[in-house]
Amino acid sequence: MCGIVSYASDKDVIKRIMTGLKSLEYRGYDSSGIAYIKDDNINIIKREGPIKNLDKVLDYEDEAYVGIAHTRWATHGKADDINSHPHRQGKITLVHNGIIENYAELKKELIKKGYKFKSETDTEVAAATIDDLYNKYNNMLEVLSKIPSILKGSYALNIICDDKIDTIYGIRKDCPLIVGLSKTGNMMASDIPAILHVTNKYIVLDNDDIVVLNKDNVKIYNNKKEEITKKIKEFDNTEEVISKNGYDHFMLKEINEEPEVVKKLISLYTKDGKVKDLFNIKKYKNIDIVACGSASFAGQIGKYFIEKYAGIRVNVYFASEYRYQTNFFTKDTLVILISQSGETADTLAALKLAKENNIDTLAIVNRRDSSIAREAKYVIYTEAGIEIAVATTKAYLAQVLVLLFLAIQGNKKEKDILDELKKLPNIMIKYINDYDYFKIAKLVKNKEHVFYLGRGIDYYLSMEGSLKLKEISYIHSEAFQAGELKHGSISLIDEDFGVISVVTDKSISDKTISNLKEVAARGAKIISITNNKDDHFADYKILLEDYGEVLGPLSVIIPMQLLAYNVAKLKGCDIDKPRNLAKSVTVE
Ligand code: AGP
């Protein structure tokens, strides 16, 4: 949630910061702002809405030499100029990603000390807290070493202090923060895309690390104020700089990258008809899959494959529930955490909970160096490349494939399934190029409500199809077990209610088809993504080839994603940055 970036250099400070900030806009786009030092004075400019609103009022020629900036996903206070970051109190100006949970009680004490607050944000309280400490200690390193014991919650902070205007200070706890190192200057940012236009050399910060940087050097301290050295890493594929490569949207670009993602995962994790070098789940009796959003829906498909091919019981939990529910950890339990960003706060907390209970943790993550990847006992990377569109596509697919590989290891069908899987890239290319989703999308675009129906693996697929449709087209869509509908929710059905069904699993499709007929009897028109040519159970079909028990369900993924994409496009929605969302949810 929220993206922060800062830069110290002799030239192009505003340009470099704004380029970095724009590449972080997927982290929140409710408002944005920048503070920079020019002629020894601090200039703060902030605007409600997407970064382009700020861009319009900025003078890129301004000779700044230090700057901090922020793009916001609102947690405290509405999206307006006043609540936008940076926030300033006394000599302290800062930007913040995260949530200060004890801000209300801190604010009370600060008001008694005479502090006045303009905004509703927890962040302005952090600025006042740091200013108050600075008045006491007059030393920023001393102040920041005290912060972990004073601020509760999660934060990544970039700070300018009036008494040291050539310097930017940084500290983090549970929210990501990296340092970018280059000959032209030094920077900090929430994520790698923000530094790639300046450098690919970076340092990943750990909790409570304190950064003191200026244009010429970077010093990092632990919270005992001891200087520490950190490994400098290199991001190896800078050519993957954040561009749409000519596609209208990052989502469409990332869907078109899925065939290559499949090929990459097959070559990385399989050899000669066998899964290789992958984590062996066979020694566990119970598996808890814990994740959020689409990652949890990939987990549901994983549950289906692991129970079917590995014969191990799997439970799938939303991380936001898992961390507060009663869990029955046994020594032969494995907790699998799934996350594209590797920074989702609830999933990270669930991971820590499992570790506290000495339970083995396996993270299936897309982003290297992310908190979840670094905290988990074991990690498998989904290698889908940087995903910018808020609505995940290629990362979800990659998560499903990794779970399939885990499930089929040593199963008698392992070779057949892997041989089948080699066909998937071409099948996907065909479904991307040869189908007219627009025609079906027109039928959905005016629907206010949609049920996405299926049974078994088709229901688990529907969960993701429904979320994709909902999050980018703003149509209220719910995935529903087709067999469950008649126990109440079918009362919602009428001729205006949209029904999309996934029907690929031959072992139960008859049952699903009877349920669809019950729905049709109430006047609803049925759209179906199916490999069933024969039966007349749908008014409109996205007819797929019949590719068997694994390829069949997997081949539904692209049609579901492109259907949602085309509906959102028809409705003129901001497909890559849907309202109220952000790509990585770093707050509870
Ligand atoms: C999916 O399109 C959404 N962006 C969202 O549901 C996402 O899957 C969820 O926030 C989990 O994110 P993660 O995979 O980065 O942990």
Side-chain angles (χ1 to χ4, degrees), residues 209-266:
D209 283 351
I210 298 167
V211 178
V212 180
L213 77 73
N214 59 36
K215 66 180 174 56
D216 303 317
N217 67 58
V218 173
K219 289 194 179 340
I220 302 178
Y221 303 84
N222 60 22
N223 68 351
K224 298 188 195 68
K225 296 168 285 177
E226 300 149 344
E227 187 168 350
I228 52 177
T229 47
K230 308 273 298 185
K231 188 162 176 287
I232 298 176
K233 303 187 173 205
E234 280 203 17
F235 188 79
D236 56 11
N237 48 7
T238 45
E239 76 283 342
E240 200 181 305
V241 171
I242 320 306
S243 81
K244 292 185 190 136
N245 289 2
Y247 289 95
D248 291 349
H249 298 97
F250 281 108
M251 184 179 178
L252 189 60
K253 173 205 173 196
E254 287 152 8
I255 289 173
N256 278 273
E257 289 173 347
E258 292 182 89
E260 282 311 309
V261 169
V262 175
K263 289 182 193 155
K264 189 173 178 184
L265 289 171
I266 290 173

Side-chain angles (χ1 to χ4, degrees), residues 568-587:
K569 196 165 185 199
L570 269 173
K571 292 186 70 177
C573 299
D574 187 338
I575 288 171
D576 285 339
K577 294 195 292 270
R579 70 186 184 209
N580 303 341
L581 293 182
K583 182 68 180 169
S584 101
V585 183
T586 55
V587 295

